[in-house]
Amino acid sequence: MEPEQETDTEHRLQLYAYLQPREHHRTYLAIMRLFTSTLLADLSAGEVSSALAAAERDGRIDIGESHVDVVIPRLRQLVEWGNLVHGRRETIAASIAEFQQGSMRYQVSKLAVRVQRDVDELLRVPEGAREVSRELLPAIERGLVQLGETLATASARTQLDAGSLPARRARELLAERVTTLFLQHAELAATVRDFYAYLGQILTRHHLAPEEISGFRNLLVEYIQVVVEDVLRHTPKIAATLSTLAGARSELLNLLRPAEQLGTAVERTRGRRDKDWQDLTDWFADRPGNPSQVTALRDATTRAIGALLATVRRATTGGGLLPSRRAELVRLAGWFDAATPDEAHSIYAAAFGMYSARNLLPAPEHDGDDEHTPWRDGPAVDVSVSVRGRGDRGARGRTSRIMDDPITEQGLLAQAREADERRESASAELAAAATDLGNVTLSGEALGAFCELLTLAMAQREGADDPGAATDQVRGLTLTLTPESGRTTTIRSTSGTLTLRDTAVGIARAEVRGAR
């Protein structure tokens, strides 16, 4: 990453600083909600203080946080993080204090609005599963078909008279269909990601109640089956239409060019860049070395069903880890909840056999106990699986390996150095043979490095007529593929001969910063 990009990234990540669970974070959150609640909010410290008074009365912020002398440093801190920017407005004040409170006004920055919007949306999201918007799949399919027809009409009318009213209306209709298509796909992709994230979170739980297992079984067998069937039914038609539109993509993007009055540094709506269409195509269609999201969805469903079957098998068989331990712990938690403090100590001692300790020996050399920290606030103890499931402390399995093994460590380092030297030698051999690649016999290591770059370069191509390139960032070696009809490239090596037809191969090596 370039130094300028790294600095910009760090600056943008500071926009999230006010969300950390630190002191006064509720005040920062209330201030940002105040600035993002209206358009073009331009507020002074006094106006912010007056607005926060209601939040203080309701208990949403701490007592005293709405005072103007407290609000001013909070606003300055938000300016330092980049969430707020200084506004400009003349103020008539009767005193110096009034001038200090009202002369400096604040506005919210563009990126801070997006951060706060995402935060509020996250806080509103329930913990349960999110329904997948399956109904958008046929809408996307119809939208792509209509988009192809609208593109042909807009192109024809623009060629006749680009400034005529029918041509402008055709381009507006084209932009409307493109925007609608990408909004529909964004909603579909978001619901799919959220649903499978929730599903993965649930399947990681080892102990599930019988009613939970039954509910998830119905979820997987019925709901996911419907989702996957709908996706697989509409995907071939969508992928075929996207493949047809790929040939007219440059013409489509030309018709959707931005308005000149907005300038060049504009965040454009999705669907106005070539990368947006490539991402949309990759969601539905596979490429060499780049499986689609539809394939990932099918694989995730298979893994989810396998994980559920394993959970059901653990719950219904007599051996292994028994989910009945969960019911016992829930019952014990109920006893603790209904007990008095003295009864809770007795229950804890009876359940876990933990009594007051008496130290009859000197303290160990490295004592990690802290007598000032209650046990409930101290570090958690890792309980082994055998103790959790069977209450058995007996050791099982073979003896653990020695963690600090200098001999093995030095051997692995030597192997890594040897592999690095072989790779460097192969890269140097390829760079030396770049000018006369067809008449040089490469070694097996050099051919292996060449095939790795060749595979990556081919994966970058969408079709056989497209060029491709791949770079080894460590060695600075770049391989390019250029389609050339009638050209045959032969790569000879001690391990065999590789022949590439209708393709020209180029190899170049750049100087790598910090290379030996």
Side-chain angles (χ1 to χ4, degrees):
M1 182 181 297
E2 297 294 332
E4 295 81 2
Q5 295 179 351
E6 186 175 356
T7 303
D8 182 65
T9 299
E10 294 177 356
H11 177 71
R12 293 192 176 196
L13 291 178
Q14 286 185 349
L15 296 172
Y16 294 89
Y18 75 98
L19 299 171
Q20 299 299 321
R22 63 178 72 199
E23 191 177 4
H24 312 308
H25 72 280
R26 294 197 301 168
T27 305
Y28 289 124
L29 188 59
I31 293 175
M32 291 304 300
R33 282 176 174 167
L34 177 63
F35 275 92
T36 56
S37 60
T38 57
L39 298 177
L40 295 179
D42 186 85
L43 305 174
S44 65
E47 293 170 344
V48 174
S49 175
S50 301
L52 291 181
E56 182 178 334
R57 288 193 300 268
D58 297 339
R60 286 177 284 148
I61 61 176
D62 297 334
I63 301 298
E65 286 293 306
S66 64
H67 195 276
V68 66
D69 293 335
V70 178
V71 170
I72 290 176
R74 304 286 185 266
L75 294 174
R76 290 174 178 171
Q77 182 63 67
L78 287 171
V79 171
E80 181 179 347
W81 285 331
N83 301 93
L84 299 181
V85 295
H86 291 297
R88 292 290 182 267
R89 180 179 296 183
E90 297 295 334
T91 302
I92 300 176
S95 64
I96 296 178
E98 184 178 349
F99 177 78
Q100 291 177 344
Q101 296 173 9
S103 62
M104 185 62 69
R105 307 187 69 84
Y106 301 88
Q107 296 177 353
V108 65
S109 64
K110 171 202 167 183
L111 296 179
V113 171
R114 184 166 298 184
V115 170
Q116 185 60 41
R117 183 176 62 201
D118 294 340
V119 169
D120 290 333
E121 182 180 356
L122 175 65
L123 295 178
R124 290 192 299 266
V125 172
E127 293 292 337
R130 182 179 182 182
E131 182 180 5
V132 178
S133 302
R134 298 182 294 108
E135 64 277 3
L136 293 177
L137 282 166
I140 292 174
E141 181 180 337
R142 290 193 302 269
L144 283 171
V145 175
Q146 296 171 356
L147 179 62
E149 300 171 354
T150 307
L151 175 60
T153 303
S155 177
R157 292 181 178 178
T158 302
Q159 290 178 0
L160 292 176
D161 187 0
S164 63
L165 181 61
R168 291 199 303 269
R169 288 181 176 176
R171 289 196 296 269
E172 291 176 357
L173 179 60
L174 180 66
E176 174 188 337
R177 296 196 184 282
V178 170
T179 302
T180 303
L181 171 67
F182 277 88
L183 288 177
Q184 291 171 341
H185 175 259
E187 177 66 16
L188 172 66
T191 56
V192 169
R193 286 195 302 268
D194 291 347
F195 176 78
Y196 277 84
Y198 166 80
L199 188 61
Q201 172 186 340
I202 293 300
L203 292 175
T204 56
R205 293 170 51 189
H206 183 77
H207 295 295
L208 295 176
E211 60 273 12
E212 290 179 316
I213 294 177
S214 176
F216 293 134
R217 180 183 58 204
N218 296 334
L219 177 69
L220 286 171
V221 173
E222 298 177 5
Y223 188 76
I224 294 185
Q225 181 179 1
V226 173
V227 171
V228 175
E229 286 180 353
D230 284 355
V231 171
L232 296 180
R233 181 170 64 253
H234 293 282
T235 293
K237 182 65 176 296
I238 293 175
T241 308
L242 287 172
S243 177
T244 303
L245 289 174
R249 187 179 300 176
S250 59
E251 182 180 3
L252 172 63
L253 298 178
N254 184 45
L255 292 173
L256 297 174
R257 62 182 180 272
E260 296 180 358
Q261 63 269 20
L262 293 179
T264 57
V266 178
E267 182 183 0
R268 305 204 61 198
T269 307
R270 289 191 62 203
R272 272 65 175 175
R273 300 181 305 167
D274 185 82
K275 185 178 183 303
D276 298 335
W277 286 95
Q278 187 58 55
D279 293 342
L280 178 64
T281 305
D282 290 343
W283 207 93
F284 290 99
D286 294 327
R287 280 196 300 152
N290 186 23
S292 66
Q293 291 298 311
V294 174
T295 302
L297 185 146
R298 184 168 56 243
D299 296 340
T301 303
T302 303
R303 293 195 302 271
I305 293 177
L308 179 69
L309 292 177
T311 303
V312 174
R313 186 164 53 251
R314 286 196 303 267
T316 55
T317 56
L321 302 176
L322 300 179
S324 60
R325 302 291 294 185
R326 178 182 182 277
E328 297 173 3
L329 292 175
V330 170
R331 189 182 306 112
L332 179 62
W335 292 346
F336 276 116
D337 183 63
T340 63
D342 293 337
E343 292 174 347
H345 286 292
S346 300
I347 294 174
Y348 184 83
F352 300 102
M354 301 291 288
Y355 298 90
S356 300
R358 290 183 299 170
N359 296 324
L360 303 179
L361 295 175
E365 182 178 358
H366 300 285
D367 188 0
D369 295 336
D370 184 1
E371 67 275 9
H372 302 293
T373 303
W375 63 268
R376 64 178 180 273
D377 299 330
V381 178
D382 187 16
V383 182
S384 63
V385 176
S386 60
V387 176
R388 291 200 307 265
R390 296 181 291 269
D392 184 8
R393 297 179 181 273
R396 284 178 169 80
R398 63 182 182 181
T399 305
S400 301
R401 294 181 58 187
I402 300 176
M403 299 303 295
D404 186 11
D405 187 356
I407 298 179
T408 303
E409 180 182 358
Q410 293 300 321
L412 294 175
L413 290 175
Q415 293 178 8
R417 286 193 296 268
E418 183 180 353
D420 185 71
E421 292 174 357
R422 291 198 304 268
R423 184 63 182 233
E424 178 63 29
S425 176
S427 300
E429 183 180 352
L430 282 177
T435 56
D436 194 16
L437 192 61
N439 299 323
V440 177
T441 301
L442 302 176
S443 64
E445 293 285 345
L447 180 63
F450 177 85
C451 291
E452 290 181 10
L453 293 175
L454 180 65
T455 302
L456 295 176
M458 287 186 171
Q460 299 298 323
R461 305 191 304 174
E462 297 184 16
D465 297 332
D466 297 329
T471 303
D472 186 345
Q473 299 294 341
V474 178
R475 312 297 173 188
L477 197 65
T478 301
L479 183 143
T480 57
L481 296 178
T482 305
E484 186 175 332
S485 180
R487 175 69 175 272
T488 300
T489 302
T490 303
I491 310 298
R492 297 179 177 83
S493 72
T494 57
S495 302
T497 302
L498 174 64
T499 302
L500 302 176
R501 302 188 185 278
D502 298 330
T503 303
V505 179
I507 298 178
R509 189 175 192 183
E511 291 295 333
V512 181
R513 183 180 302 176
R516 293 176 297 178

